[in-house]
Amino acid sequence: TKNSSMAEAAGAGSLLVDALNVDETAAAIQQLFSDAGLHKNLSVAALKHVQQFNNKRMADELMAVYKSF
């Protein structure tokens, strides 16, 4: 949603809405169904974004935090 840290977590492959606004949510869903270009662009961006989240990277970053203490 727009009112949270979801933008950072979801990245560019997301279409954020105000979760409390039913009309905005419905419009976004309709837009995803009706706009093939938007759907494709968001899908490509989401796949790119998710590449940064992997077990090795997360473990390496966590170990770096531990070692900094």
Side-chain angles (χ1 to χ4, degrees):
T1 69
K2 292 179 181 177
N3 306 334
S4 70
S5 62
M6 187 58 71
E8 182 180 0
S14 61
L15 188 58
L16 301 176
V17 298
D18 179 348
L20 301 177
N21 186 327
V22 175
D23 292 332
E24 184 178 349
T25 302
I29 293 169
Q30 180 61 39
Q31 187 178 13
L32 284 172
F33 279 118
S34 63
D35 187 337
L38 174 65
H39 184 263
K40 180 173 176 63
N41 290 339
L42 290 176
S43 296
V44 169
L47 288 172
K48 183 178 179 182
H49 183 67
V50 76
Q51 298 298 315
Q52 68 180 317
F53 301 102
N54 63 63
N55 291 338
K56 176 158 179 22
R57 179 175 174 224
M58 296 299 159
D60 290 345
E61 290 181 11
L62 183 58
M63 285 305 296
V65 170
Y66 286 144
K67 290 178 180 180
S68 72
F69 294 115

